[in-house]
Amino acid sequence: VVDYYKEACRALENSETASLLGKIQKDWKKLVQMKIYYFAAVAHLHMGKQAEEQQKFGERVIYFQSALDKLNEAIKLAKGQPETVQEALRFTMDVIGGKYNSAKKDNDFIYHEAVPALDTLQSVKGAPLVKALPVNPTDPAVTGPDIFAKLVPMAAHEASSLYSEEKAKLLRDVMAKIEAKNEVLDQFMDSMQLDPETVDNLEMYSHIPPVLMEKCAALSVRPDTVKNLVQSMQVLSGVFTDVEASLKEIRDLLEEDEAQERKLQELLGKVPPAQGSPPPPSPGLAEVSKECSKYMEVHEKASFTNTELHKAMNLHIGNLRLLSGPLEQVRAALPSPALTEDDKQVLQNLKRILAKVQEMRDQRMSLEQQLREMIQKDDITTSLVTTDRSEMKKLFEEQLKKYDQIKVYLEQNLAAQENVLKALTDANVKYATVRKALAEVEHKWNTTVQTLVASYEAYEDLMKKSQEGKDFYTDLEGKAAKLLEKARAACQAAEANRQQILEKEMKKQPPPRPTAPKPALQKKPPELE
């Protein structure tokens, strides 16, 4: 659909079409351009969905971003269109905008895949499902009967029609050759994927892109950005540590109390050592243990979020420091190609040949236009009225000779194509290594820019989550501190109770009985020895 609308747009740019349509030509062209952007946005939306199904999350982001950019261009061109068109654009913006925001957020915080440049991905090719039928303006079935037929003799009118057919045949023959060559040229250029405007793209490396300049400018008026983020995370870490220490102390108190209680039970002979379940704690300690377990569970869940938040901060803090620094450091951080003199020579030669290709195209289009204009203006009706019927064929041959010169020019242009494409093939072979290096540098450059922009956009979210974490742990710290005091008091009460039980048991036990002394051994008489 996009390709057909592009063809329609080129037709509207034709000078003949413009003069025929008048003022409405601009409106039609604007409408067609709007539809080109709109359907291109829809195409990239579907490419993004396909990337999502294939779990290519970086590609998904760039396709949705491209769809959003194209839709914004369509909206700009849609000013003055009916409300139904505006409503359709708003609906599409809701769909694409939602998809892009969701994909970008998922990639920034979950997948962290590099977002490739759009021109590094395979371009979307149109699939023609219908064949356009040409319209012949001289066909009576199209134009209806000639209202001026009676102004000239019927014989002259018939002869003029025959001459028109000769001109049409000449044009068809020439156009068949041109279209055949153009098809070969288009297929060749598509396979090469060479764009004269961006074949080296060295200009972009000489300056910081506007999107990055905008972020640097925003941070320049907020010099404490990094400092505030670091301090916020340090405060969060401090509160986190305090909570963890309080909960650990409570757990230690409970374990110590349990050990003392077990020792008491063993002394009293109620529970065999190393057997049986732990003795039940006092009601006060049971409540403390229950609350401590609840706080420990909450703390463990929040600990994972806290760790992820610190990882995200460490990921972005360096980039934020870079964006807050001098622009020279930002420019130095962006990758740039290092080309040798031979590489530069290869580039210049390739660009020169590409310029030749474009010159050949332009000349071919110009000659074709001239031929069409000559044929359109060629009217020999006056000569036909005064020419005998037997001389008509000779008159046609003489009149058609006026096209010989422009046919020669076209033949030369078509013949030159083979040599130009051969030279371009040789230049492209030499360019392959340079192209690969430039593509790698451009990919790194785009990735670096996107990473820096993502770090800037993540700052507000990090600050918000850091504050939420501080609020959460401050509240938990207060609760843990109160629980710690409660645990200490309960443990002291339990220890005092154990001491009282021991004293009572000691009083119940009878005093030990006195034992008779053993008789001393008598020594045997010597004679018995």
Side-chain angles (χ1 to χ4, degrees), residues 22 265 355:
Q265 297 296 327

Side-chain angles (χ1 to χ4, degrees), residues 311-330:
K311 287 181 181 179
M313 189 204 73
N314 292 331
L315 179 67
H316 297 295
I317 197 73
N319 293 337
L320 290 172
R321 284 198 178 99
L322 177 62
L323 292 174
S324 302
L327 293 178
E328 290 76 12
Q329 292 182 6
V330 178

Side-chain angles (χ1 to χ4, degrees), residues 12-55:
L12 286 170
E13 291 171 349
N14 186 288
S15 58
E16 292 181 5
T17 308
S19 61
L20 177 66
L21 295 176
K23 293 182 179 180
I24 201 175
Q25 183 261 354
K26 291 183 179 179
D27 294 334
W28 283 18
K29 181 180 176 183
K30 186 177 179 182
L31 175 61
V32 170
Q33 288 175 335
M34 184 270 288
K35 292 194 174 187
I36 289 172
Y37 280 112
Y38 176 80
F39 285 107
V42 174
H44 280 195
L45 169 64
H46 287 294
M47 291 299 291
K49 289 181 178 179
Q50 183 183 10
E52 183 177 9
E53 292 174 359
Q54 297 173 351
Q55 296 188 351

Side-chain angles (χ1 to χ4, degrees), residues 402-421:
K402 65 169 73 80
Y403 300 107
D404 288 349
Q405 187 63 54
I406 196 168
K407 285 170 62 179
V408 170
Y409 292 152
L410 275 167
E411 291 289 347
Q412 291 174 347
N413 178 281
L414 298 174
Q417 178 169 306
E418 184 176 353
N419 293 331
V420 173
L421 295 187

